[in-house]
């Protein structure tokens, strides 16, 4: 049982003969609750997919729904499945939703990619090509189509690995700007820099994942990108940020007493994680530029020379990793902090070296937190 947009939903997972293991049932239940938190009604989504296939089994939209239900949901992690579904809904269905899937040819795929590139999203075009290719491969294996129109197509845009990190001055501007934009995005962005974890993991942080007495944040495998549980040490700086966060109390509904706090940390409703991160990043950029101009004016310099280079939130993770390396944190320890599967320790060594380096990770993140405190107070 869970709530979707405030409405209580009771879902039957299936008979014991089909789900003989308790772990599998729990996994299915957690997946449904994650969808519910994202505003998706799992039961209605499955019914809609089945109905669409019965009514129009030859349309791209119906086959795409079937692909998500029977392939992505069963064979990929929940986060990957959600990303796949979002891309299909946003990029592919508007172009081909009602079109018979067998009528979609190579020119149609090229036109789709060109449209995405022309609107200024070349990297998204690469992602759309990858998802289209995978979907049609699955449809071909099931004899829905005979050929894959995306087969053999090259990526529309070569991807260059980013190397952007924030300078010390930019970090100070970033920290002050986060304080100015306030809850919920200010502390969220600060935790990205302090913990060096991924945006989706921080934005989806749950109170039960925080073990404050042990100074640990345990990210369960269902939420971690590489499908394994990850322990993040909480430095003094991280604990300070978390300690000042408000805790959303769920109101009673229909006479039902719900005195417990909502599980989501970064939420304004108690039911869904915060949205609008891109717009919040734009406000942060504007505030950083405003602060820099004021600094220049106070120093008697021309504020028109103020410039903050373009950066994305993922650059905070790289900034933290680079900063820890500069503080003499060993590369393999930084890899563990970032929860990288293929890092410095590879091959046979990776197979046999199962040491978690918890104490070393603790020292690394504490050193990084101390460095940030000295930096922003300078």
């Amino acid at each position: 049982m869970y709530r979707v947009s405030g409405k209580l939903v009771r879902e039957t997972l299936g008979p014991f003969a089909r789900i003989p293991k308790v772990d599998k049932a729990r996994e299915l239940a957690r997946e449904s609750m994650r969808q519910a938190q994202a505003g998706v009604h799992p039961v209605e989504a499955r019914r809609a997919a089945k109905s669409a296939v019965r009514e129009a089994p030859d349309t791209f939209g119906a086959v795409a729904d079937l692909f998500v239900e029977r392939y992505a949901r069963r064979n990929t992690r929940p986060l990957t499945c959600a990303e796949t579904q979002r891309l299909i809904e946003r990029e592919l269905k508007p172009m081909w939703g009602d079109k018979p899937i067998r009528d979609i040819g190579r020119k149609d795929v090229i036109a789709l990619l060109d449209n995405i590139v022309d609107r200024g999203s070349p990297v998204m075009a690469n992602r759309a090509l990858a998802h289209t290719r995978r979907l049609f491969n699955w449809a071909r294996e099931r004899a829905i189509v005979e050929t894959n129109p995306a087969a053999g197509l090259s990526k529309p845009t070569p991807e260059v690995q980013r190397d952007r990190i924030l300078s010390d001055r930019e970090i100070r501007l970033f920290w002050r700007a986060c304080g100015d934009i306030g809850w919920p995005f200010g502390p969220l962005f600060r935790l990205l820099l302090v913990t060096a974890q991924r945006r989706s993991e921080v934005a989806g942080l749950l109170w039960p994942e925080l073990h404050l007495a042990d100074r640990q944040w345990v990210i369960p495998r269902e939420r971690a990108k590489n499908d394994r549980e990850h322990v993040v040490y909480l430095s003094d700086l991280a604990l300070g940020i978390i300690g000042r966060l408000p805790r959303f109390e769920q109101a009673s509904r229909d006479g039902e007493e719900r005195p417990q706090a909502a599980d989501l940390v970064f939420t304004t409703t108690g039911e869904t994680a915060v949205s609008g991160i891109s717009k919040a990043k734009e406000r942060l950029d504007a505030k950083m530029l405003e602060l820099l101009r004021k600094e220049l004016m106070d120093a008697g310099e021309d504020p028109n020379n103020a410039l903050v280079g373009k950066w994305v939130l993922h650059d905070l993770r790289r900034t933290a990793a680079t900063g820890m390396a500069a503080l003499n944190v060993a590369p393999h320890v930084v890899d563990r902090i970032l929860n990288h599967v293929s890092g410095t320790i590879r091959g046979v060594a990776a197979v046999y070296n199962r040491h978690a380096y918890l104490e070393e990770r603790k020292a690394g993140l504490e050193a990084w937190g101390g460095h940030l405190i000295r930096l922003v107070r300078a």
Side-chain angles (χ1 to χ4, degrees):
M1 297 182 71
Y2 46 83
R3 290 185 181 274
V4 179
S5 301
K7 182 180 178 181
L8 193 64
V9 176
R10 179 171 180 165
E11 177 184 358
T12 301
L13 297 175
F16 180 77
R18 187 170 65 85
I19 311 174
K21 294 185 178 179
V22 174
D23 288 346
K24 179 62 176 177
R26 288 174 177 160
E27 182 180 341
L28 292 171
R30 283 193 294 266
E31 183 179 331
S32 290
M33 286 188 281
R34 280 191 294 269
Q35 292 180 58
Q37 286 183 346
V40 176
H41 194 307
V43 178
E44 290 183 357
R46 279 198 292 276
R47 287 174 182 166
K50 291 178 181 178
S51 175
V53 171
R54 284 196 300 269
E55 294 173 4
D58 64 333
T59 66
F60 174 84
V63 175
D65 289 340
L66 198 61
F67 168 76
V68 170
E69 182 64 31
R70 296 192 177 178
Y71 175 79
R73 206 174 303 286
R74 297 178 184 179
N75 298 285
T76 64
R77 294 179 304 106
L79 285 175
T80 303
C81 178
E83 291 170 5
T84 298
Q85 190 169 17
R86 268 197 306 272
L87 187 141
I88 289 173
E89 295 291 337
R90 185 175 61 221
E91 305 292 351
L92 307 187
K93 278 191 177 181
M95 288 285 288
W96 303 328
D98 297 328
K99 186 170 184 174
I101 191 169
R102 296 177 188 84
D103 293 345
I104 297 173
R106 198 175 188 81
K107 289 184 178 180
D108 296 301
V109 178
I110 293 171
L112 168 77
L113 302 177
D114 286 345
N115 285 338
I116 298 175
V117 171
D118 291 345
R119 76 164 191 245
S121 303
V123 175
M124 178 56 69
N126 291 349
R127 303 293 179 270
L129 173 61
H131 283 78
T132 300
R133 184 181 291 130
R134 189 176 301 116
L135 189 154
F136 273 94
N137 275 339
W138 177 84
R140 187 167 58 85
E141 290 172 359
R142 298 179 68 90
I144 297 173
V145 297
E146 294 183 2
T147 60
N148 184 344
L153 286 178
S154 301
K155 288 183 178 180
T157 304
E159 294 187 31
V160 179
Q161 186 173 0
R162 292 183 60 84
D163 58 3
R164 176 78 159 93
I165 62 171
L166 274 65
S167 66
D168 287 352
R169 186 178 198 177
E170 287 173 329
I171 290 175
R172 285 193 290 269
L173 291 170
F174 162 82
W175 199 265
R176 291 174 57 195
C178 285
D180 287 345
I181 66 173
W183 167 263
F185 297 106
L188 191 160
F189 292 160
R190 282 180 173 178
L191 271 183
L192 288 174
L193 180 63
V194 174
T195 64
Q197 301 310 300
R198 297 177 176 89
R199 187 178 86 172
S200 61
E201 294 164 350
V202 176
L205 175 62
L206 302 174
W207 286 109
E209 295 173 0
L210 295 171
H211 304 270
L212 300 181
D214 298 326
R215 303 174 69 97
Q216 290 184 346
W217 165 24
V218 181
I219 305 176
R221 60 181 293 272
E222 296 83 7
R223 289 211 316 110
K225 185 175 181 180
N226 60 19
D227 200 28
R228 69 179 182 187
E229 183 181 272
H230 180 46
V231 177
V232 182
Y233 173 77
L234 297 174
S235 63
D236 288 341
L237 185 54
L239 285 174
I241 295 171
I242 294 169
R244 292 188 293 272
L245 296 178
R247 188 152 185 173
F248 191 98
E249 296 289 342
Q250 287 183 326
S252 299
R253 286 194 187 88
D254 302 326
E256 178 188 3
E257 291 296 328
R258 298 180 63 82
Q260 76 277 18
D263 283 347
L264 285 163
V265 173
F266 294 105
T267 177
T268 55
T269 65
E271 296 180 357
T272 59
V274 291
S275 59
I277 290 180
S278 297
K279 290 184 178 179
K281 171 59 167 57
E282 292 175 4
R283 295 200 303 274
L284 181 73
D285 290 338
K287 180 58 67 173
M288 288 176 66
L289 184 59
E290 177 186 326
L291 291 170
L292 180 57
R293 284 173 175 162
K294 187 177 185 303
E295 279 188 8
L296 293 177
M297 287 182 66
D298 292 344
E301 301 179 35
D302 186 357
N304 293 320
N305 292 332
L307 178 65
V308 177
K310 290 185 177 180
W311 63 281
V312 299
L313 290 176
H314 193 73
D315 294 334
L316 296 173
R317 184 169 157 87
R318 187 180 302 104
T319 299
T322 304
M324 283 185 278
L327 294 169
N328 296 319
V329 180
H332 63 276
V333 175
V334 175
D335 281 336
R336 295 283 183 164
I337 290 172
L338 298 176
N339 200 18
H340 280 168
V341 175
S342 56
T344 306
I345 302 176
R346 302 182 181 183
V348 175
V351 172
Y352 289 98
N353 186 351
R354 297 303 185 188
H355 183 50
Y357 297 100
L358 289 176
E359 287 301 315
E360 293 85 349
R361 285 149 61 180
K362 172 182 175 181
L365 282 168
E366 199 61 79
W368 174 238
H371 173 74
L372 287 176
I373 291 174
R374 292 188 294 273
L375 194 61
V376 300
R377 289 178 178 174

